[in-house]
Every structure is written in C-alpha cells, then in structure tokens.
C-alpha cells in the first residue's frame, strides 16, 4: 500500500513532477503494478487514433515492448479510443469479445479475466491500459484499487499536459 500511495501521490502532484512522457508512463505502470496488477501493458494512442504503441509493460513477454496495434482492425479498440471506457472480460463474456481483440493482445494475455481501460486527457483518449492478474479472477479490493489508480492517472495526465515545457 505504501508503494502504491507513493506512486499515486507523484501522479497527483501539481505541478507535474515529470519532465517527459517516459517518466510519467513509468510511474503509471509502477502504480498499476503496486495496485495488484501482475501483468500490464500501457499503449499510447497517436494523434489520429490510427495506432496504439506499447510504452510500458510489466510481467509480459519481451514481444510486448515493440507492440503496435491498428485500432481499425478491432471494433473493441475503436470503441475504447472513441471515448474513455472500460471493458472487463470475464468467463461469462469472453466468447463475445475475444474475436474482436487483436491476436497479438490475446497471445500476451491468455486470460479470461482481463481489463481494458482507455484514459483521456481533455475528452481525448490518450492511452489504453490492458491489465490482469496472471489469469486469476479480480477481487473486489483489486478492482477498487484499479479504479482509484485510474483516477490518479487521469489527474496525473492532466497535470502533465499543463506543465510548462
């Protein structure tokens, strides 16, 4: 909890303590990991939402590092980029969504328990988080910690965007 709190307080700092995107995304992935997410992938959206580029990963194969996804190939990714939203995959709905996810994402996260969460800055989606607990079901506590972490990330992203360059 102390490690998670430290990362979240960094994200909530005004003005933003981060001088570049790499520092910000590193803190975001550390906060998510500390919140109980054992595997995570943080993808940044380009300006036109034509590509999602892997920026940080924890607990995944090295292939996650250079991953680039084309949202036009996935209805789920297009919807998540359209506006900030969360899709939680469970054994009950995995069949419905699995075919709509890119194969490269499914191979990194061979799991029936997965969360995809897009995060916006000023109404525009800037990043996509893909997280799980190595295939295990999410506990209520972990889901609450994830939701709280997302709030910290949103505020941190806004603060980072406002910083003096």
């Amino acid at each position: 909890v102390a490690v998670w709190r430290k990362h979240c307080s960094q994200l909530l700092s005004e003005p933003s303590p981060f001088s570049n995107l790499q520092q910000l995304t590193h803190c975001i992935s550390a906060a998510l990991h500390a919140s109980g997410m054992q595997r995570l992938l943080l993808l940044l959206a380009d300006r036109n939402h034509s590509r999602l580029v892997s920026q940080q990963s924890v607990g995944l194969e090295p292939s996650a590092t250079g991953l680039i996804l084309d949202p036009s190939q996935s209805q789920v990714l297009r919807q998540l980029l359209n506006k900030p939203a969360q899709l939680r995959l469970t054994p009950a709905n995995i069949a419905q969504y699995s075919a709509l996810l890119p194969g490269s994402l499914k191979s990194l996260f061979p799991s029936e328990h997965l969360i995809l969460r897009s995060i916006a800055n000023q109404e525009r989606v800037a990043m996509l988080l893909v997280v799980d607990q190595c295939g295990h079901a999410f506990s209520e506590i972990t889901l609450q910690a994830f939701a709280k972490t997302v709030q910290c990330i949103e505020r941190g992203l806004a603060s980072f965007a406002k910083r003096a360059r």
Side-chain angles (χ1 to χ4, degrees):
V1 176
V3 175
W4 175 82
R5 202 169 264 134
K6 183 188 98 167
H7 293 303
C8 272
S9 67
Q10 275 186 295
L11 288 167
L12 297 173
S13 295
E14 295 264 355
S16 177
F18 309 106
S19 53
N20 60 49
L21 195 57
Q22 189 69 30
Q23 291 173 344
L24 173 68
T25 58
H26 180 76
C27 184
I28 289 171
S29 66
L32 288 166
H33 191 61
S35 79
M37 297 303 159
Q38 293 162 314
R39 293 190 296 203
L40 66 98
L41 181 63
L42 187 158
L43 299 141
L44 294 179
D46 68 359
R47 250 185 217 304
N48 309 320
H49 286 169
S50 61
R51 292 180 348 149
L52 281 163
V53 181
S54 168
Q55 185 72 24
Q56 296 281 337
S57 68
V58 173
L60 296 172
E61 297 170 28
S63 64
T65 308
L67 186 67
I68 298 173
L69 299 176
D70 178 356
S72 70
Q73 307 293 310
S74 167
Q75 185 182 349
V76 169
L77 293 183
R78 284 196 307 274
Q79 286 177 341
L80 287 167
L81 285 175
N82 192 32
K83 64 179 190 271
Q86 178 169 306
L87 173 62
R88 180 175 161 207
L89 299 179
T90 64
N93 70 4
I94 190 81
Q96 180 185 349
Y97 291 107
S98 184
L100 305 174
L101 293 173
S104 52
L105 209 53
K106 288 191 284 196
S107 67
L108 285 173
F109 292 92
S111 172
E112 292 188 326
H113 299 278
L114 188 65
I115 297 175
L116 290 89
R117 178 69 162 90
S118 53
I119 297 187
N121 178 37
Q122 297 172 325
E123 306 297 313
R124 185 165 170 33
V125 171
M127 68 178 62
L128 177 69
L129 307 173
V130 185
V131 298
D132 83 347
Q133 293 192 296
C134 292
H136 303 290
F138 295 104
S139 70
E140 201 48 51
I141 297 279
T142 306
L143 291 171
Q144 289 170 8
F146 178 72
K148 201 80 177 138
T149 307
V150 166
Q151 290 175 344
C152 294
I153 293 168
E154 288 169 335
R155 294 204 11 221
L157 200 56
S159 172
F160 179 74
K162 287 188 295 204
R163 79 197 186 290
R165 292 198 171 98

